[in-house]
Amino acid sequence: MNASVKSVHGGVRKPLGLALALMTFAVPALAQDGPVRLGVLTDMSSLYADNGGPGSVVVAQMAVDDFKGKVLGRPIEIVAGDHQNKADIGATIARRWLENENVEAILDVPNSAVALAVQGITRDKKKLFLATGAATSRLTGDECSPTGIHWTYDTYALSQGTTKAISRLGAKSWFFLSADYSLGVQLEADSRKVIDATGGKVVGAVKHPINTPDFSSFLLQAQASKADVIALADAGGDFVNAVKQAGEFGVTRGQKLAGLLVFINDIHSLGLQSAQGLMLSSAFYWDLNDETRAWSRRYIEKTGKVPSMIHAGTYGAVMHYLKAVEAAGTLDGPVVAAKMRELPVNDFMTRNGKIRPDGRLVRDMYLFRVKAPEESKYQFDYYQLLATIRGEEAFRSMEDGGCPLVKKS
């Protein structure tokens, strides 16, 4: 091989080593002059758009603005992408961002199948993945990553809150209506463990396609099972449609519906008349205290909508990432990820949160009951707090997760 390359200046040839040195010296210099880009990869127009979607872009920009718009002397820029709930599309966007567009961290991703694909790519590229929208507990289990942080909630914590609470009220038999992809599979699996541990029994289960408009055949199977509880292991528009159609079929007259992943935006879509009495777990409620109210009012003023736990989590993750970058003095993915684990998480949503070696942010979770219409006194007054579940109880232990990053004792 000829040890030289052609220069762009008049055909002058230089030794290859010198040319490469010049190239590798110049490219980072250009990158270092540009903005620090954070990518919000979300569902912009389908069944999860209300829970993440455009609102996640809004809160990411809020965090950047609150951080004064710069880190390490460079402007911060938010870019957004729509994964359309397809893992191949999400993976393509993630690769383009990381390889060609200087994106340093990817956030949100409210679809577990897409999130698992993104986790693999960011792990290989040594870039940050802040999973603020995805649910699957595999992100801190067998698919954990040194540069992956599961921020807001997961399937294990949701099952610990809702399934355990309903079991304590006397429910003995369960039927699962689950979304037929990673979210439904993991949410059902984690909930089954709780049911077994509390002496309950799963009498049946059926899987439905994502974003299906017709739940009739699935609900009729659930109704025929005569289970005490029909557990909805799905989310967003699927959850809303299932609850609406269950009411139309009269399913709720003899059986309880349990939403295992419920967002306040879903309750808003359903209305309190349809959702009243439902118990659910959440990492955030806008009306929990003065700090959550103050931040949420800012979001409501910008959007006219109530913020979800994904929105609150995305804001918090951006802020913590930027603090870690500033403290570390670098954008290097593994170094920043280590600094994020080192620093405690404190904001309006989280008190003294800790990011474990497996990437799980441990914080308190909450159990709520949806209010009846007559109990609601003002806009978005939807929940009554039933219990606070301490983070150590809510989230799976590292030892039980199977994360390869966790050293065996």
Side-chain angles (χ1 to χ4, degrees):
M1 180 177 176
N2 195 323
S4 63
V5 295
K6 189 173 183 178
S7 167
V8 295
H9 300 295
V12 178
R13 303 175 74 86
K14 294 181 178 156
L16 180 60
L18 176 59
L20 287 178
L22 291 170
M23 289 167 65
T24 54
F25 188 84
V27 172
L30 289 173
Q32 288 171 7
D33 291 336
V36 175
R37 290 195 176 99
L38 310 182
V40 178
L41 184 57
T42 188
D43 176 358
M44 285 292 192
S45 57
S46 189
L47 73 166
Y48 304 136
D50 286 343
N51 304 325
S56 290
V57 181
V58 169
V59 296
Q61 188 61 53
M62 283 172 61
V64 168
D65 293 344
D66 288 349
F67 204 78
K68 307 306 181 188
K70 285 191 174 184
V71 67
L72 304 183
R74 294 167 56 186
I76 307 161
E77 182 177 295
I78 300 298
V79 298
D82 184 356
H83 59 52
Q84 301 176 44
N85 292 297
K86 295 177 181 177
D88 58 340
I89 291 176
T92 298
I93 294 171
R95 285 189 185 280
R96 187 184 77 236
W97 279 354
L98 300 181
E99 294 175 358
N100 302 324
E101 299 179 16
N102 298 320
V103 169
E104 300 293 340
I106 296 176
L107 298 108
D108 196 359
V109 195
N111 179 300
S112 290
V114 182
L116 290 169
V118 171
Q119 179 103 313
I121 293 166
T122 51
R123 181 171 51 228
D124 291 345
K125 300 293 182 183
K126 295 181 170 55
K127 296 291 186 179
L128 269 293
F129 176 34
L130 310 179
T132 57
T136 179
S137 57
R138 290 185 63 196
L139 290 170
T140 54
D142 63 314
E143 288 290 340
C144 68
S145 165
T147 56
I149 294 174
H150 204 176
W151 190 270
T152 312
Y153 60 97
D154 64 24
T155 51
Y156 184 92
L158 296 168
S159 64
Q160 287 297 300
T162 308
T163 310
K164 189 177 288 185
I166 293 173
S167 295
R168 285 171 177 168
L169 292 176
K172 295 297 182 186
S173 58
W174 296 69
F175 185 99
F176 280 93
L177 183 53
S178 305
D180 191 12
Y181 79 108
S182 307
L183 166 69
V185 170
Q186 198 62 54
L187 197 48
E188 180 178 332
D190 285 338
S191 297
R192 280 177 177 263
K193 292 174 185 175
V194 176
I195 292 165
D196 289 344
T198 54
K201 182 181 179 182
V202 177
V203 297
V206 64
K207 289 182 169 55
H208 68 78
I210 186 173
N211 209 16
T212 182
D214 185 6
F215 281 85
S216 57
S217 64
F218 311 118
L219 288 168
L220 289 172
Q221 290 180 62
Q223 192 174 36
S225 75
K226 300 190 185 303
D228 295 335
V229 181
I230 300 170
L232 302 176
D234 52 17
D238 282 337
F239 167 77
V240 171
N241 286 335
V243 173
K244 285 181 177 177
Q245 291 175 40
E248 292 166 5
F249 278 95
V251 172
T252 51
R253 293 193 198 109
Q255 296 166 291
K256 282 191 177 72
L257 281 182
L260 300 179
L261 176 49
V262 183
F263 296 93
I264 195 166
N265 317 81
D266 304 330
I267 301 304
H268 183 75
S269 295
L270 283 167
L272 295 184
Q273 190 63 47
S274 297
Q276 62 182 309
L278 190 72
M279 283 194 291
L280 59 96
S281 298
S282 182
F284 173 78
Y285 176 45
W286 78 272
D287 203 14
L288 200 59
N289 55 50
D290 288 343
E291 285 185 277
T292 59
R293 281 188 286 271
W295 180 85
S296 297
R297 286 189 185 111
R298 291 175 58 203
Y299 177 84
I300 292 168
E301 285 172 6
K302 288 179 180 291
T303 66
K305 298 179 178 180
V306 62
S308 72
M309 59 176 162
I310 292 177
H311 298 142
T314 299
Y315 175 96
V318 171
M319 287 294 287
H320 193 68
Y321 169 78
L322 295 174
K323 288 175 184 176
V325 167
E326 193 171 64
T330 180
L331 290 169
D332 181 80
V335 174
V336 175
K339 182 61 69 173
M340 290 183 75
R341 285 166 166 82
E342 177 187 322
L343 298 173
V345 180
N346 280 295
D347 58 31
F348 66 92
M349 181 185 184
T350 306
R351 286 284 173 274
N352 297 315
K354 179 68 178 174
I355 301 170
R356 302 185 313 203
D358 63 353
R360 177 68 257 167
L361 170 57
V362 178
R363 65 141 71 72
D364 293 347
M365 295 284 290
Y366 305 97
L367 182 68
F368 296 106
R369 178 186 65 83
V370 178
K371 292 182 175 183
E374 60 272 15
E375 295 177 284
S376 180
K377 305 302 181 188
Y378 41 86
Q379 187 184 38
F380 306 134
D381 178 22
Y382 294 158
Y383 292 173
Q384 176 192 356
L385 178 65
L386 297 180
T388 298
I389 307 163
R390 297 300 173 196
E392 294 73 17
E393 179 187 350
F395 292 99
R396 180 182 61 198
S397 71
M398 282 197 298
E399 293 71 26
D400 292 338
C403 170
L405 301 175
V406 177
K407 295 177 182 178
K408 306 295 182 186
S409 57

